[in-house]
Amino acid sequence: MNDARDGLRDVGDSSASSLAPSVFLVKVERGVMKNNNYVVRDPSTAQAVLVDPAWEIETLQETLERTQSHLSGILVTHTHSDHIDLARPLAEFYNCPIWMSREEAAFSGFQSRHLIAIDERPWRVGAMRIEPILTPGHTPGCVCFLIGDNLFTGDVLFAEGCGICFELDEAHAMYDSLQMLKTRVPADTHVFPGHTYIRPPGQKLGDIMRYNIYLQFTDRDSFAAYRLRKGQGGPKVLDFR
Ligand SMILES: [Fe+2]
């Protein structure tokens, strides 16, 4: 797996059509925290979107330059600071929209003249069809984005787990969201999460469904009991200022 620091290349499916969107992984860090940012580029127009930009603006700008991408907008899966930190400065610099779910915008109070609050209606950037899929649980307005056969999941679904929840209703919502993804998204879709723990980004959903314990539950309460078990803390971060 290469990234923006050790030889940038498309991390998408090499067998895919040359017209399929290209996915470029950009690993960013702040202290002990590590995030995956993604540039998703339409090869036919060079238009691109950035997913959850945070922390390293120069790295992201260099990636856009090296991939000869024209930034057409920013996709925000949710408003935790490690996913939205650079949305506003980049939107100002490139004069492009920030797409976020209507629920997340209302929940967070995020404001920007570039903000476009979305529902589940798809839209296009160049030839890329961007399909938002509402997946509440980690936050009330979490959204995943399906672009071609690539699903960007933020903190909803990781290869080995799912995002933290703090309350019973949040865990129930997360269960419903994960169950919905399992049936709605094709199994050969590549999953690109906001964080990597063991397996690299781009695992197929069908494979994740076999080894991710959070996708094995068959009822909300069992899932919630496991998701809310002790020792699963972590900061409840909501700071985009
Ligand atoms: Fe988060």
Side-chain angles (χ1 to χ4, degrees):
M1 174 66 61
N2 291 349
D3 62 30
R5 290 195 180 116
D6 58 8
L8 188 65
R9 70 173 175 84
D10 183 356
V11 298
D13 184 350
S14 60
S15 65
S17 155
S18 60
L19 293 178
S22 299
V23 180
F24 298 96
L25 167 66
V26 188
K27 294 180 181 175
V28 297
E29 299 181 15
R30 175 172 285 178
V32 297
M33 299 173 72
K34 296 181 179 180
N35 276 29
N36 299 330
N37 290 185
Y38 300 99
V39 173
V40 190
R41 180 182 186 273
D42 169 28
S44 64
T45 64
Q47 292 189 67
V49 293
L50 253 175
V51 183
D52 285 355
W55 299 334
E56 297 187 23
I57 194 164
E58 289 181 3
T59 305
L60 291 167
Q61 290 177 318
E62 285 169 11
T63 303
L64 291 168
E65 288 176 19
R66 291 172 65 191
T67 58
Q68 298 184 318
S69 299
H70 171 75
L71 186 63
S72 296
I74 294 164
L75 302 175
V76 173
T77 62
H78 67 298
T79 50
H80 285 165
S81 61
D82 57 329
H83 294 258
I84 198 171
D85 176 59
L86 290 176
R88 263 198 303 235
L90 285 166
E92 289 292 332
F93 187 85
Y94 292 98
N95 192 28
C96 69
I98 300 169
W99 291 294
M100 173 191 304
S101 80
R102 195 176 307 282
E103 290 81 356
E104 191 73 2
F107 153 74
S108 66
F110 178 85
Q111 293 188 343
S112 165
R113 67 190 179 98
H114 297 283
L115 173 64
I116 297 178
I118 57 172
D119 51 28
E120 285 203 326
R121 267 175 294 195
W123 73 94
R124 286 190 180 275
V125 170
M128 298 190 295
R129 181 179 185 272
I130 299 177
E131 179 181 343
I133 302 175
L134 294 175
T135 48
H138 180 65
T139 68
C142 266
V143 61
C144 296
F145 295 99
L146 183 63
I147 307 175
D149 63 353
N150 311 296
L151 183 70
F152 299 88
T153 57
D155 285 354
V156 173
L157 177 63
F158 309 123
E160 304 84 5
C162 72
I164 192 81
C165 301
F166 293 91
E167 309 291 342
L168 184 62
D169 61 342
E170 295 172 351
H172 282 165
M174 178 67 92
Y175 173 80
D176 293 343
S177 293
L178 294 176
Q179 292 298 312
M180 179 269 297
L181 287 178
K182 285 165 62 176
T183 56
R184 177 165 165 179
V185 177
D188 60 355
T189 302
H190 297 272
V191 173
F192 292 96
H195 306 278
T196 295
Y197 297 99
I198 300 172
R199 293 176 170 85
Q203 302 296 311
K204 289 191 174 181
L205 179 60
D207 295 329
I208 294 175
M209 284 168 59
R210 281 192 286 277
Y211 58 69
N212 184 324
I213 191 170
Y214 291 92
L215 298 181
Q216 310 309 315
F217 291 91
T218 56
D219 71 278
R220 293 171 111 203
D221 287 333
S222 299
F223 174 89
Y226 187 73
R227 177 62 285 185
L228 299 172
R229 70 195 184 278
K230 288 184 177 164
Q232 296 296 300
K236 195 167 189 175
V237 181
L238 181 66
D239 179 12
F240 43 78
R241 294 167 191 84

